[in-house]
Amino acid sequence: MLKLFALAGRSPLGLLLAVFVGTLLFWPQQLILRYRKPWQGPLAWIWKWHGWGGWAVRGSRRGWEWRWGSLRLRGRWPAQRGERCSPRDWPYLWKLGKQLHIQSWQGGVEIGFADPALTGQCLGLIAALPLPLAQHLRLTFTRIGWHGWGSLVIRLRGWQVLGLALKLGWLALSRRWDRVLRATRGDPQQK
């Protein structure tokens, strides 16, 4: 890293690049995760990454958006089918989760059953829960299903998660590349 800063002193563009990389890796970043599940609908999630200097990257199930002041760039995620987390990814996800520090969280779930007697029994179960957990659960007698919302603010440093994120990306790309090679060879064991 020191060589990068030494080389940056030779040109203004190098200095700008070194400042950007240093800010990204060493400045604490903030990631805001939100989810929403309407009645009997799919789970919708939104995340937003706040950076230094007013720039932000926002993503949802539909696509992504990069914003800095009035500049905005939008795109869609590539269509992927059958991509799932495999057991060999779990240790890396566990290490990545340990590097993320939860700063604050809030949320709630509203649940409704078809049978009012069952709703009353669940109301008794919720009353037995600890108060911080019971505050986030509500029962309704008017609708059937569940409705949830939540927000989670995570603080992290770029250098702590960069290696793990690159390793997970490499595993995902190698898995896709293996699938493409099997398809071109006509391998019957395609996944």
Side-chain angles (χ1 to χ4, degrees):
M1 191 71 184
L2 291 175
K3 282 188 175 184
L4 179 67
F5 285 110
L7 291 173
R10 296 184 184 168
S11 71
L13 185 60
L15 181 63
L16 185 64
L17 177 67
V19 168
F20 178 73
V21 169
T23 302
L24 180 67
L25 293 179
F26 295 109
W27 192 272
Q29 301 293 317
Q30 211 176 50
L31 180 66
I32 300 171
L33 297 168
R34 292 196 171 115
Y35 76 89
R36 178 183 57 81
K37 197 243 182 244
W39 292 98
Q40 304 295 341
L43 188 69
W45 53 269
I46 297 171
W47 57 268
K48 191 171 187 178
W49 175 285
H50 283 285
W52 185 71
W55 60 272
V57 179
R58 181 176 177 262
S60 68
R61 289 185 335 172
R62 295 187 180 131
W64 56 269
E65 177 183 81
W66 175 82
R67 186 184 301 180
W68 186 36
S70 63
L71 298 174
R72 181 180 293 179
L73 185 64
R74 292 184 182 173
R76 291 208 169 273
W77 302 115
Q80 297 177 0
R81 283 186 228 130
E83 293 290 326
R84 288 195 173 86
C85 181
S86 74
R88 65 179 174 175
D89 298 339
W90 293 346
Y92 300 110
L93 288 171
W94 176 254
K95 289 178 186 175
L96 187 65
K98 289 195 316 189
Q99 300 298 330
L100 305 176
H101 304 287
I102 296 175
Q103 201 168 2
S104 67
W105 72 277
Q106 53 182 304
V109 177
E110 190 174 336
I111 305 168
F113 298 102
D115 184 14
L118 185 60
T119 308
Q121 290 173 359
C122 286
L123 190 61
L125 288 173
I126 289 174
L129 291 174
L131 186 60
L133 186 59
Q135 283 178 321
H136 302 285
L137 296 173
R138 288 189 328 189
L139 293 177
T140 181
F141 291 90
T142 58
R143 293 185 178 177
I144 298 170
W146 67 282
H147 173 82
W149 63 273
S151 177
L152 183 69
V153 178
I154 298 172
R155 196 171 244 338
L156 58 112
R157 291 193 183 269
W159 63 271
Q160 291 175 326
V161 298
L162 185 64
L164 294 168
L166 289 174
K167 180 67 174 174
L168 282 169
W170 177 257
L171 286 173
L173 285 175
S174 66
R175 215 174 292 134
R176 172 169 284 167
W177 183 249
D178 288 344
R179 191 175 307 141
V180 168
L181 286 178
R182 271 192 245 120
T184 56
R185 286 189 218 139
D187 193 359
Q189 293 182 343
Q190 289 183 9
K191 290 185 179 179

PDB file of all heavy atoms in Angstrom, residues 156-186:
ATOM      1  N   LEU A 156     -18.891  -1.341   8.425  1.00  0.00           N
ATOM      2  CA  LEU A 156     -17.777  -2.224   8.097  1.00  0.00           C
ATOM      3  C   LEU A 156     -16.628  -1.407   7.529  1.00  0.00           C
ATOM      4  O   LEU A 156     -16.783  -0.251   7.162  1.00  0.00           O
ATOM      5  CB  LEU A 156     -18.223  -3.272   7.065  1.00  0.00           C
ATOM      6  CG  LEU A 156     -18.778  -2.716   5.756  1.00  0.00           C
ATOM      7  CD1 LEU A 156     -17.851  -3.025   4.620  1.00  0.00           C
ATOM      8  CD2 LEU A 156     -20.137  -3.279   5.511  1.00  0.00           C
ATOM      9  N   ARG A 157     -15.473  -2.010   7.498  1.00  0.00           N
ATOM     10  CA  ARG A 157     -14.303  -1.418   6.852  1.00  0.00           C
ATOM     11  C   ARG A 157     -13.992  -2.240   5.606  1.00  0.00           C
ATOM     12  O   ARG A 157     -14.049  -3.462   5.626  1.00  0.00           O
ATOM     13  CB  ARG A 157     -13.106  -1.414   7.785  1.00  0.00           C
ATOM     14  CG  ARG A 157     -13.277  -0.465   8.941  1.00  0.00           C
ATOM     15  CD  ARG A 157     -11.965  -0.257   9.648  1.00  0.00           C
ATOM     16  NE  ARG A 157     -12.127   0.581  10.799  1.00  0.00           N
ATOM     17  CZ  ARG A 157     -12.010   1.909  10.789  1.00  0.00           C
ATOM     18  NH1 ARG A 157     -11.739   2.529   9.678  1.00  0.00           N
ATOM     19  NH2 ARG A 157     -12.175   2.602  11.878  1.00  0.00           N
ATOM     20  N   GLY A 158     -13.650  -1.541   4.527  1.00  0.00           N
ATOM     21  CA  GLY A 158     -13.437  -2.201   3.254  1.00  0.00           C
ATOM     22  C   GLY A 158     -12.346  -3.238   3.272  1.00  0.00           C
ATOM     23  O   GLY A 158     -12.476  -4.298   2.674  1.00  0.00           O
ATOM     24  N   TRP A 159     -11.245  -2.964   3.973  1.00  0.00           N
ATOM     25  CA  TRP A 159     -10.122  -3.908   3.948  1.00  0.00           C
ATOM     26  C   TRP A 159     -10.456  -5.189   4.688  1.00  0.00           C
ATOM     27  O   TRP A 159      -9.858  -6.220   4.444  1.00  0.00           O
ATOM     28  CB  TRP A 159      -8.866  -3.262   4.526  1.00  0.00           C
ATOM     29  CG  TRP A 159      -8.964  -2.859   5.961  1.00  0.00           C
ATOM     30  CD1 TRP A 159      -9.405  -1.670   6.460  1.00  0.00           C
ATOM     31  CD2 TRP A 159      -8.622  -3.648   7.087  1.00  0.00           C
ATOM     32  NE1 TRP A 159      -9.358  -1.671   7.815  1.00  0.00           N
ATOM     33  CE2 TRP A 159      -8.870  -2.873   8.232  1.00  0.00           C
ATOM     34  CE3 TRP A 159      -8.124  -4.938   7.253  1.00  0.00           C
ATOM     35  CZ2 TRP A 159      -8.652  -3.352   9.521  1.00  0.00           C
ATOM     36  CZ3 TRP A 159      -7.898  -5.404   8.531  1.00  0.00           C
ATOM     37  CH2 TRP A 159      -8.160  -4.610   9.646  1.00  0.00           C
ATOM     38  N   GLN A 160     -11.440  -5.160   5.613  1.00  0.00           N
ATOM     39  CA  GLN A 160     -11.796  -6.371   6.341  1.00  0.00           C
ATOM     40  C   GLN A 160     -12.610  -7.339   5.498  1.00  0.00           C
ATOM     41  O   GLN A 160     -12.536  -8.546   5.695  1.00  0.00           O
ATOM     42  CB  GLN A 160     -12.588  -6.015   7.598  1.00  0.00           C
ATOM     43  CG  GLN A 160     -11.779  -5.307   8.650  1.00  0.00           C
ATOM     44  CD  GLN A 160     -12.630  -4.872   9.817  1.00  0.00           C
ATOM     45  OE1 GLN A 160     -13.790  -4.523   9.659  1.00  0.00           O
ATOM     46  NE2 GLN A 160     -12.040  -4.888  10.998  1.00  0.00           N
ATOM     47  N   VAL A 161     -13.411  -6.830   4.567  1.00  0.00           N
ATOM     48  CA  VAL A 161     -14.288  -7.705   3.800  1.00  0.00           C
ATOM     49  C   VAL A 161     -13.840  -7.891   2.357  1.00  0.00           C
ATOM     50  O   VAL A 161     -14.398  -8.711   1.646  1.00  0.00           O
ATOM     51  CB  VAL A 161     -15.738  -7.162   3.821  1.00  0.00           C
ATOM     52  CG1 VAL A 161     -16.281  -7.141   5.219  1.00  0.00           C
ATOM     53  CG2 VAL A 161     -15.826  -5.811   3.179  1.00  0.00           C
ATOM     54  N   LEU A 162     -12.828  -7.161   1.911  1.00  0.00           N
ATOM     55  CA  LEU A 162     -12.424  -7.218   0.511  1.00  0.00           C
ATOM     56  C   LEU A 162     -11.950  -8.612   0.105  1.00  0.00           C
ATOM     57  O   LEU A 162     -12.383  -9.154  -0.911  1.00  0.00           O
ATOM     58  CB  LEU A 162     -11.326  -6.181   0.237  1.00  0.00           C
ATOM     59  CG  LEU A 162     -10.879  -6.050  -1.202  1.00  0.00           C
ATOM     60  CD1 LEU A 162     -12.041  -5.547  -2.050  1.00  0.00           C
ATOM     61  CD2 LEU A 162      -9.703  -5.121  -1.317  1.00  0.00           C
ATOM     62  N   GLY A 163     -11.082  -9.222   0.885  1.00  0.00           N
ATOM     63  CA  GLY A 163     -10.565 -10.548   0.548  1.00  0.00           C
ATOM     64  C   GLY A 163     -11.648 -11.610   0.529  1.00  0.00           C
ATOM     65  O   GLY A 163     -11.713 -12.446  -0.382  1.00  0.00           O
ATOM     66  N   LEU A 164     -12.547 -11.578   1.522  1.00  0.00           N
ATOM     67  CA  LEU A 164     -13.624 -12.563   1.577  1.00  0.00           C
ATOM     68  C   LEU A 164     -14.609 -12.368   0.433  1.00  0.00           C
ATOM     69  O   LEU A 164     -15.084 -13.332  -0.164  1.00  0.00           O
ATOM     70  CB  LEU A 164     -14.345 -12.455   2.917  1.00  0.00           C
ATOM     71  CG  LEU A 164     -13.513 -12.835   4.142  1.00  0.00           C
ATOM     72  CD1 LEU A 164     -14.208 -12.414   5.407  1.00  0.00           C
ATOM     73  CD2 LEU A 164     -13.264 -14.329   4.143  1.00  0.00           C
ATOM     74  N   ALA A 165     -14.920 -11.118   0.101  1.00  0.00           N
ATOM     75  CA  ALA A 165     -15.842 -10.849  -1.008  1.00  0.00           C
ATOM     76  C   ALA A 165     -15.238 -11.304  -2.332  1.00  0.00           C
ATOM     77  O   ALA A 165     -15.940 -11.866  -3.183  1.00  0.00           O
ATOM     78  CB  ALA A 165     -16.184  -9.361  -1.045  1.00  0.00           C
ATOM     79  N   LEU A 166     -13.930 -11.089  -2.519  1.00  0.00           N
ATOM     80  CA  LEU A 166     -13.279 -11.553  -3.749  1.00  0.00           C
ATOM     81  C   LEU A 166     -13.275 -13.080  -3.835  1.00  0.00           C
ATOM     82  O   LEU A 166     -13.465 -13.647  -4.911  1.00  0.00           O
ATOM     83  CB  LEU A 166     -11.854 -11.008  -3.825  1.00  0.00           C
ATOM     84  CG  LEU A 166     -11.736  -9.514  -4.103  1.00  0.00           C
ATOM     85  CD1 LEU A 166     -10.278  -9.077  -4.018  1.00  0.00           C
ATOM     86  CD2 LEU A 166     -12.313  -9.172  -5.456  1.00  0.00           C
ATOM     87  N   LYS A 167     -13.056 -13.757  -2.723  1.00  0.00           N
ATOM     88  CA  LYS A 167     -13.061 -15.218  -2.710  1.00  0.00           C
ATOM     89  C   LYS A 167     -14.447 -15.764  -3.054  1.00  0.00           C
ATOM     90  O   LYS A 167     -14.578 -16.700  -3.850  1.00  0.00           O
ATOM     91  CB  LYS A 167     -12.619 -15.720  -1.329  1.00  0.00           C
ATOM     92  CG  LYS A 167     -12.590 -17.209  -1.188  1.00  0.00           C
ATOM     93  CD  LYS A 167     -11.525 -17.840  -2.040  1.00  0.00           C
ATOM     94  CE  LYS A 167     -11.438 -19.323  -1.764  1.00  0.00           C
ATOM     95  NZ  LYS A 167     -10.530 -20.000  -2.646  1.00  0.00           N
ATOM     96  N   LEU A 168     -15.512 -15.158  -2.474  1.00  0.00           N
ATOM     97  CA  LEU A 168     -16.860 -15.599  -2.796  1.00  0.00           C
ATOM     98  C   LEU A 168     -17.193 -15.337  -4.268  1.00  0.00           C
ATOM     99  O   LEU A 168     -17.833 -16.157  -4.923  1.00  0.00           O
ATOM    100  CB  LEU A 168     -17.868 -14.880  -1.899  1.00  0.00           C
ATOM    101  CG  LEU A 168     -17.971 -15.415  -0.479  1.00  0.00           C
ATOM    102  CD1 LEU A 168     -18.790 -14.478   0.379  1.00  0.00           C
ATOM    103  CD2 LEU A 168     -18.585 -16.792  -0.479  1.00  0.00           C
ATOM    104  N   GLY A 169     -16.755 -14.199  -4.796  1.00  0.00           N
ATOM    105  CA  GLY A 169     -16.967 -13.915  -6.210  1.00  0.00           C
ATOM    106  C   GLY A 169     -16.252 -14.902  -7.108  1.00  0.00           C
ATOM    107  O   GLY A 169     -16.788 -15.348  -8.123  1.00  0.00           O
ATOM    108  N   TRP A 170     -15.017 -15.254  -6.723  1.00  0.00           N
ATOM    109  CA  TRP A 170     -14.254 -16.234  -7.499  1.00  0.00           C
ATOM    110  C   TRP A 170     -14.941 -17.593  -7.496  1.00  0.00           C
ATOM    111  O   TRP A 170     -15.015 -18.269  -8.520  1.00  0.00           O
ATOM    112  CB  TRP A 170     -12.842 -16.352  -6.953  1.00  0.00           C
ATOM    113  CG  TRP A 170     -12.036 -17.387  -7.655  1.00  0.00           C
ATOM    114  CD1 TRP A 170     -11.720 -18.631  -7.207  1.00  0.00           C
ATOM    115  CD2 TRP A 170     -11.464 -17.273  -8.953  1.00  0.00           C
ATOM    116  NE1 TRP A 170     -10.980 -19.295  -8.139  1.00  0.00           N
ATOM    117  CE2 TRP A 170     -10.811 -18.489  -9.224  1.00  0.00           C
ATOM    118  CE3 TRP A 170     -11.442 -16.273  -9.913  1.00  0.00           C
ATOM    119  CZ2 TRP A 170     -10.139 -18.718 -10.415  1.00  0.00           C
ATOM    120  CZ3 TRP A 170     -10.776 -16.513 -11.103  1.00  0.00           C
ATOM    121  CH2 TRP A 170     -10.140 -17.719 -11.342  1.00  0.00           C
ATOM    122  N   LEU A 171     -15.471 -18.015  -6.340  1.00  0.00           N
ATOM    123  CA  LEU A 171     -16.173 -19.289  -6.274  1.00  0.00           C
ATOM    124  C   LEU A 171     -17.420 -19.280  -7.161  1.00  0.00           C
ATOM    125  O   LEU A 171     -17.704 -20.259  -7.853  1.00  0.00           O
ATOM    126  CB  LEU A 171     -16.563 -19.604  -4.826  1.00  0.00           C
ATOM    127  CG  LEU A 171     -15.429 -20.037  -3.913  1.00  0.00           C
ATOM    128  CD1 LEU A 171     -15.916 -20.142  -2.476  1.00  0.00           C
ATOM    129  CD2 LEU A 171     -14.836 -21.354  -4.356  1.00  0.00           C
ATOM    130  N   ALA A 172     -18.159 -18.176  -7.164  1.00  0.00           N
ATOM    131  CA  ALA A 172     -19.365 -18.084  -7.999  1.00  0.00           C
ATOM    132  C   ALA A 172     -19.006 -18.120  -9.481  1.00  0.00           C
ATOM    133  O   ALA A 172     -19.666 -18.801 -10.275  1.00  0.00           O
ATOM    134  CB  ALA A 172     -20.137 -16.816  -7.656  1.00  0.00           C
ATOM    135  N   LEU A 173     -17.948 -17.397  -9.881  1.00  0.00           N
ATOM    136  CA  LEU A 173     -17.543 -17.400 -11.287  1.00  0.00           C
ATOM    137  C   LEU A 173     -17.018 -18.757 -11.725  1.00  0.00           C
ATOM    138  O   LEU A 173     -17.294 -19.208 -12.831  1.00  0.00           O
ATOM    139  CB  LEU A 173     -16.491 -16.323 -11.524  1.00  0.00           C
ATOM    140  CG  LEU A 173     -17.003 -14.893 -11.557  1.00  0.00           C
ATOM    141  CD1 LEU A 173     -15.832 -13.928 -11.670  1.00  0.00           C
ATOM    142  CD2 LEU A 173     -17.969 -14.695 -12.703  1.00  0.00           C
ATOM    143  N   SER A 174     -16.252 -19.431 -10.869  1.00  0.00           N
ATOM    144  CA  SER A 174     -15.722 -20.742 -11.249  1.00  0.00           C
ATOM    145  C   SER A 174     -16.843 -21.766 -11.369  1.00  0.00           C
ATOM    146  O   SER A 174     -16.799 -22.628 -12.247  1.00  0.00           O
ATOM    147  CB  SER A 174     -14.672 -21.200 -10.236  1.00  0.00           C
ATOM    148  OG  SER A 174     -15.248 -21.429  -8.981  1.00  0.00           O
ATOM    149  N   ARG A 175     -17.872 -21.661 -10.522  1.00  0.00           N
ATOM    150  CA  ARG A 175     -19.004 -22.566 -10.619  1.00  0.00           C
ATOM    151  C   ARG A 175     -19.746 -22.359 -11.947  1.00  0.00           C
ATOM    152  O   ARG A 175     -20.128 -23.306 -12.606  1.00  0.00           O
ATOM    153  CB  ARG A 175     -19.954 -22.301  -9.450  1.00  0.00           C
ATOM    154  CG  ARG A 175     -20.602 -23.530  -8.942  1.00  0.00           C
ATOM    155  CD  ARG A 175     -21.413 -23.278  -7.701  1.00  0.00           C
ATOM    156  NE  ARG A 175     -20.556 -22.930  -6.586  1.00  0.00           N
ATOM    157  CZ  ARG A 175     -20.778 -21.922  -5.763  1.00  0.00           C
ATOM    158  NH1 ARG A 175     -21.820 -21.164  -5.904  1.00  0.00           N
ATOM    159  NH2 ARG A 175     -19.961 -21.663  -4.779  1.00  0.00           N
ATOM    160  N   ARG A 176     -19.926 -21.101 -12.322  1.00  0.00           N
ATOM    161  CA  ARG A 176     -20.598 -20.808 -13.592  1.00  0.00           C
ATOM    162  C   ARG A 176     -19.751 -21.282 -14.766  1.00  0.00           C
ATOM    163  O   ARG A 176     -20.258 -21.818 -15.735  1.00  0.00           O
ATOM    164  CB  ARG A 176     -20.856 -19.315 -13.687  1.00  0.00           C
ATOM    165  CG  ARG A 176     -21.371 -18.948 -15.067  1.00  0.00           C
ATOM    166  CD  ARG A 176     -21.876 -17.593 -15.119  1.00  0.00           C
ATOM    167  NE  ARG A 176     -23.166 -17.627 -14.473  1.00  0.00           N
ATOM    168  CZ  ARG A 176     -23.832 -16.580 -14.102  1.00  0.00           C
ATOM    169  NH1 ARG A 176     -23.334 -15.403 -14.295  1.00  0.00           N
ATOM    170  NH2 ARG A 176     -24.998 -16.672 -13.542  1.00  0.00           N
ATOM    171  N   TRP A 177     -18.431 -21.080 -14.700  1.00  0.00           N
ATOM    172  CA  TRP A 177     -17.546 -21.489 -15.789  1.00  0.00           C
ATOM    173  C   TRP A 177     -17.571 -23.008 -15.959  1.00  0.00           C
ATOM    174  O   TRP A 177     -17.575 -23.513 -17.074  1.00  0.00           O
ATOM    175  CB  TRP A 177     -16.135 -20.986 -15.519  1.00  0.00           C
ATOM    176  CG  TRP A 177     -15.178 -21.283 -16.605  1.00  0.00           C
ATOM    177  CD1 TRP A 177     -14.132 -22.148 -16.558  1.00  0.00           C
ATOM    178  CD2 TRP A 177     -15.167 -20.734 -17.922  1.00  0.00           C
ATOM    179  NE1 TRP A 177     -13.465 -22.170 -17.755  1.00  0.00           N
ATOM    180  CE2 TRP A 177     -14.091 -21.311 -18.617  1.00  0.00           C
ATOM    181  CE3 TRP A 177     -15.971 -19.823 -18.584  1.00  0.00           C
ATOM    182  CZ2 TRP A 177     -13.792 -21.003 -19.932  1.00  0.00           C
ATOM    183  CZ3 TRP A 177     -15.670 -19.509 -19.898  1.00  0.00           C
ATOM    184  CH2 TRP A 177     -14.600 -20.099 -20.548  1.00  0.00           C
ATOM    185  N   ASP A 178     -17.600 -23.755 -14.841  1.00  0.00           N
ATOM    186  CA  ASP A 178     -17.709 -25.214 -14.924  1.00  0.00           C
ATOM    187  C   ASP A 178     -18.997 -25.631 -15.616  1.00  0.00           C
ATOM    188  O   ASP A 178     -19.016 -26.573 -16.410  1.00  0.00           O
ATOM    189  CB  ASP A 178     -17.657 -25.832 -13.525  1.00  0.00           C
ATOM    190  CG  ASP A 178     -16.282 -25.766 -12.908  1.00  0.00           C
ATOM    191  OD1 ASP A 178     -15.307 -25.518 -13.649  1.00  0.00           O
ATOM    192  OD2 ASP A 178     -16.172 -25.939 -11.678  1.00  0.00           O
ATOM    193  N   ARG A 179     -20.090 -24.943 -15.329  1.00  0.00           N
ATOM    194  CA  ARG A 179     -21.375 -25.256 -15.941  1.00  0.00           C
ATOM    195  C   ARG A 179     -21.332 -24.987 -17.448  1.00  0.00           C
ATOM    196  O   ARG A 179     -21.859 -25.758 -18.245  1.00  0.00           O
ATOM    197  CB  ARG A 179     -22.465 -24.423 -15.286  1.00  0.00           C
ATOM    198  CG  ARG A 179     -23.842 -24.871 -15.669  1.00  0.00           C
ATOM    199  CD  ARG A 179     -24.918 -24.132 -14.939  1.00  0.00           C
ATOM    200  NE  ARG A 179     -24.709 -24.187 -13.515  1.00  0.00           N
ATOM    201  CZ  ARG A 179     -24.924 -23.167 -12.702  1.00  0.00           C
ATOM    202  NH1 ARG A 179     -25.359 -22.031 -13.164  1.00  0.00           N
ATOM    203  NH2 ARG A 179     -24.715 -23.283 -11.411  1.00  0.00           N
ATOM    204  N   VAL A 180     -20.691 -23.895 -17.854  1.00  0.00           N
ATOM    205  CA  VAL A 180     -20.583 -23.574 -19.282  1.00  0.00           C
ATOM    206  C   VAL A 180     -19.740 -24.638 -19.991  1.00  0.00           C
ATOM    207  O   VAL A 180     -20.087 -25.106 -21.085  1.00  0.00           O
ATOM    208  CB  VAL A 180     -19.980 -22.163 -19.474  1.00  0.00           C
ATOM    209  CG1 VAL A 180     -19.583 -21.933 -20.913  1.00  0.00           C
ATOM    210  CG2 VAL A 180     -20.956 -21.110 -19.012  1.00  0.00           C
ATOM    211  N   LEU A 181     -18.626 -25.059 -19.380  1.00  0.00           N
ATOM    212  CA  LEU A 181     -17.784 -26.091 -19.996  1.00  0.00           C
ATOM    213  C   LEU A 181     -18.524 -27.414 -20.130  1.00  0.00           C
ATOM    214  O   LEU A 181     -18.400 -28.109 -21.147  1.00  0.00           O
ATOM    215  CB  LEU A 181     -16.508 -26.279 -19.179  1.00  0.00           C
ATOM    216  CG  LEU A 181     -15.467 -25.168 -19.300  1.00  0.00           C
ATOM    217  CD1 LEU A 181     -14.284 -25.472 -18.401  1.00  0.00           C
ATOM    218  CD2 LEU A 181     -15.008 -25.018 -20.737  1.00  0.00           C
ATOM    219  N   ARG A 182     -19.301 -27.789 -19.104  1.00  0.00           N
ATOM    220  CA  ARG A 182     -20.064 -29.030 -19.183  1.00  0.00           C
ATOM    221  C   ARG A 182     -21.107 -28.965 -20.289  1.00  0.00           C
ATOM    222  O   ARG A 182     -21.366 -29.952 -20.975  1.00  0.00           O
ATOM    223  CB  ARG A 182     -20.748 -29.323 -17.843  1.00  0.00           C
ATOM    224  CG  ARG A 182     -19.876 -30.122 -16.929  1.00  0.00           C
ATOM    225  CD  ARG A 182     -20.671 -30.638 -15.759  1.00  0.00           C
ATOM    226  NE  ARG A 182     -20.120 -29.992 -14.569  1.00  0.00           N
ATOM    227  CZ  ARG A 182     -20.782 -29.219 -13.753  1.00  0.00           C
ATOM    228  NH1 ARG A 182     -22.034 -28.983 -13.935  1.00  0.00           N
ATOM    229  NH2 ARG A 182     -20.190 -28.666 -12.733  1.00  0.00           N
ATOM    230  N   ALA A 183     -21.721 -27.810 -20.474  1.00  0.00           N
ATOM    231  CA  ALA A 183     -22.747 -27.661 -21.513  1.00  0.00           C
ATOM    232  C   ALA A 183     -22.134 -27.757 -22.902  1.00  0.00           C
ATOM    233  O   ALA A 183     -22.742 -28.320 -23.824  1.00  0.00           O
ATOM    234  CB  ALA A 183     -23.476 -26.340 -21.343  1.00  0.00           C
ATOM    235  N   THR A 184     -20.928 -27.225 -23.089  1.00  0.00           N
ATOM    236  CA  THR A 184     -20.297 -27.278 -24.407  1.00  0.00           C
ATOM    237  C   THR A 184     -19.792 -28.689 -24.735  1.00  0.00           C
ATOM    238  O   THR A 184     -19.740 -29.066 -25.890  1.00  0.00           O
ATOM    239  CB  THR A 184     -19.123 -26.296 -24.503  1.00  0.00           C
ATOM    240  OG1 THR A 184     -18.194 -26.562 -23.463  1.00  0.00           O
ATOM    241  CG2 THR A 184     -19.617 -24.885 -24.411  1.00  0.00           C
ATOM    242  N   ARG A 185     -19.435 -29.463 -23.714  1.00  0.00           N
ATOM    243  CA  ARG A 185     -18.966 -30.837 -23.936  1.00  0.00           C
ATOM    244  C   ARG A 185     -20.117 -31.817 -24.089  1.00  0.00           C
ATOM    245  O   ARG A 185     -19.907 -32.959 -24.451  1.00  0.00           O
ATOM    246  CB  ARG A 185     -18.104 -31.284 -22.763  1.00  0.00           C
ATOM    247  CG  ARG A 185     -16.742 -30.672 -22.746  1.00  0.00           C
ATOM    248  CD  ARG A 185     -15.922 -31.349 -21.675  1.00  0.00           C
ATOM    249  NE  ARG A 185     -15.099 -30.335 -21.047  1.00  0.00           N
ATOM    250  CZ  ARG A 185     -14.859 -30.242 -19.768  1.00  0.00           C
ATOM    251  NH1 ARG A 185     -15.399 -31.092 -18.939  1.00  0.00           N
ATOM    252  NH2 ARG A 185     -14.098 -29.304 -19.279  1.00  0.00           N
ATOM    253  N   GLY A 186     -21.331 -31.381 -23.712  1.00  0.00           N
ATOM    254  CA  GLY A 186     -22.469 -32.292 -23.764  1.00  0.00           C
ATOM    255  C   GLY A 186     -22.508 -33.233 -22.578  1.00  0.00           C
ATOM    256  O   GLY A 186     -22.979 -34.356 -22.690  1.00  0.00           O
TER     257      GLY A 186
END
